[in-house]
Amino acid sequence: MKNKKWISLAAAVVLAVTALPMGVFAAKKDSTEEKLTKVTLNEVAHSIFYAPQYVAIEEGYFKDEGLDLTLVTGFGADKTMTAVISGEADIGFMGAEASVYAYQEGATDAVVNFAQLTQRAGNFLVAREEMPDFKWEDLKDKKVLGGRKGGMPEMVFEYILRKNGLDPQKDLTIDQSIDFGYTAAAFTGDTSADFTVEFEPSATALEKEGAGYVVASLGVDSGYVPYTSYSAKTSYMDKNPEIIQKFTNALQKGMEYVQSHTPEEIAEVIAPQFAETDLDTVTAIVKRYYDQDTWKSNLIFEKESFELLEDILEDSGELSERVSYEDLVTIKYAREAAEK
């Protein structure tokens, strides 16, 4: 009996000891998860164009920085800006023109840009037929499905037209009544338009269907422009500078990844973000953006880039008065991230 008692006691001790590490590890895991700071990011669109951001998500760079990131797609800069101003989102990702518009309208809590992701436009001009010798003058007297008035896609398109001697209001017809997410469907369903301006994957999808052909890249023909950036309300940034810095650090790692890896490797990493698109198509799209030098090597939003943006806004008649770079851009977080 005595032996049996000792055996039972020994077994209980062994069970307690072996269970202890599991409990400790579980507690440690729960503690780690509790330490992650929740951040909501509202992106203007979900596009392969923003590959460095998705690399940062899929490679766990935000978690490495102690952030629990929730990604929401706003489907338009106006909606993304509304989410940021209302506090529904902590950080917005959209064209910087949205922060200029909000400032012009008298926003008391300015939405400030702290990181620039893309340095070229991400859309393409698609024609109904192959045009290997396409020139922008070929759009004269034609109908084009364009973008929302005052949005970067449309303004950059008009900027290119003016650079090539075309008046956007007189020399062609631009249909701006269709939401950018539906222009590809409209192009295939209504043959009245000769061209459409499309983001990926719509441009490649039209080519695969034989319904259209990419004849020009707005990113190439517009040159370097500050197309998309990250921004937050001044009050949020003042209250949470460490969150902004950690967020920027994670993005910088994503930027460095795309600079040092092949399109095939990048596509492999971001593929889970685009489950509805096959890997070959994701790779082809990444390569298209990669080859035209879409992504910056760092996130610093330079003054000359902001001034170019205001030039484009002025040319489009969307800027009533120029805004100071210092009022709507800060580079301290991007600079620190780049120096790490």
Side-chain angles (χ1 to χ4, degrees):
M1 286 292 291
K2 191 180 286 187
N3 287 342
K4 284 186 178 180
K5 285 182 179 178
W6 276 108
I7 291 169
S8 298
L9 180 60
V13 170
V14 169
L15 284 171
V17 171
T18 54
L20 181 61
M22 292 178 67
V24 170
F25 292 144
K28 186 175 181 182
K29 183 180 178 185
D30 290 343
S31 175
T32 302
E33 288 178 352
E34 284 173 14
K35 285 181 181 176
L36 293 178
T37 303
K38 293 185 179 298
V39 177
T40 299
L41 168 65
N42 189 299
E43 60 176 1
V44 64
H46 197 70
S47 170
I48 295 166
F49 183 38
Y50 312 132
Q53 172 181 286
Y54 306 124
V55 167
I57 292 171
E58 294 298 326
E59 289 293 287
Y61 297 151
F62 288 104
K63 285 188 177 178
D64 291 345
E65 291 289 334
L67 301 180
D68 178 9
L69 186 71
T70 297
L71 182 65
V72 179
T73 304
F75 298 104
D78 53 341
K79 297 178 182 66
T80 295
M81 179 56 76
T82 298
V84 172
I85 290 174
S86 69
E88 184 182 330
D90 302 310
I91 296 170
F93 176 54
M94 61 197 126
E97 80 285 352
S99 65
V100 175
Y101 295 153
Y103 192 82
Q104 282 188 151
E105 289 167 8
T108 54
D109 192 357
V111 176
V112 175
N113 301 279
F114 62 87
Q116 180 189 335
L117 186 79
T118 54
Q119 61 183 1
R120 286 191 185 275
N123 42 4
F124 302 87
L125 185 69
V126 179
R128 293 201 178 274
E129 300 175 355
E130 292 184 89
M131 300 177 68
D133 300 317
F134 171 81
K135 302 181 297 299
W136 286 97
E137 304 90 85
D138 295 335
L139 294 183
K140 192 170 176 61
D141 299 324
K142 297 294 193 296
K143 180 180 177 180
V144 182
L145 300 184
R148 178 177 58 85
K149 177 177 168 54
M152 277 300 282
E154 178 62 24
M155 289 192 296
V156 170
F157 177 48
E158 293 183 10
Y159 174 68
I160 293 170
L161 293 176
R162 292 188 189 93
K163 277 177 63 177
N164 287 274
L166 293 171
D167 185 323
Q169 278 70 49
K170 298 177 180 178
D171 292 331
L172 66 158
T173 301
I174 304 175
D175 185 343
Q176 297 179 266
S177 67
I178 304 167
D179 183 88
F180 80 95
Y182 299 101
T183 50
F187 189 66
T188 55
D190 179 3
T191 58
S192 66
D194 304 288
F195 298 85
T196 183
V197 178
E198 297 294 336
F199 278 94
E200 294 288 14
S202 297
T204 295
L206 286 170
E207 286 191 320
K208 284 195 166 188
E209 294 168 16
Y213 301 88
V214 172
V215 296
S217 163
L218 275 71
V220 170
D221 290 323
S222 64
Y224 291 114
V225 294
Y227 206 76
T228 46
S229 60
Y230 296 87
S231 55
K233 287 193 295 187
T234 301
S235 59
Y236 181 85
M237 296 176 77
D238 288 345
K239 186 178 179 181
N240 303 285
E242 71 291 343
I243 293 177
I244 298 295
Q245 188 62 65
K246 289 175 179 179
F247 182 91
T248 310
N249 293 346
L251 282 175
Q252 179 62 38
K253 292 175 188 173
M255 301 293 270
E256 290 168 1
Y257 186 99
V258 300
Q259 293 294 329
S260 59
H261 289 75
T262 65
E264 290 76 14
E265 290 168 328
I266 297 165
E268 192 81 43
V269 169
I270 69 171
Q273 290 281 328
F274 303 94
E276 73 288 352
T277 307
D278 65 86
L279 183 59
D280 286 345
T281 300
V282 174
T283 303
I285 294 170
V286 169
K287 189 174 188 312
R288 183 171 270 170
Y289 285 133
Y290 186 95
D291 289 343
Q292 69 178 38
D293 195 24
T294 292
W295 306 297
K296 287 167 57 66
S297 59
N298 60 52
L299 296 153
I300 298 171
F301 196 150
E302 304 286 0
K303 186 172 185 177
E304 62 183 20
S305 295
F306 185 78
E307 289 175 346
L308 172 59
L309 170 66
E310 293 203 295
D311 289 343
I312 294 171
L313 290 171
E314 276 187 335
D315 287 347
S316 300
E318 299 293 338
L319 188 65
S320 57
E321 186 178 346
R322 291 182 83 92
V323 179
S324 168
Y325 168 76
E326 289 75 18
D327 286 338
L328 291 183
V329 179
T330 179
I331 63 171
K332 64 180 180 179
Y333 302 104
R335 180 174 285 163
E336 184 173 326
E339 291 172 354
K340 274 185 171 288

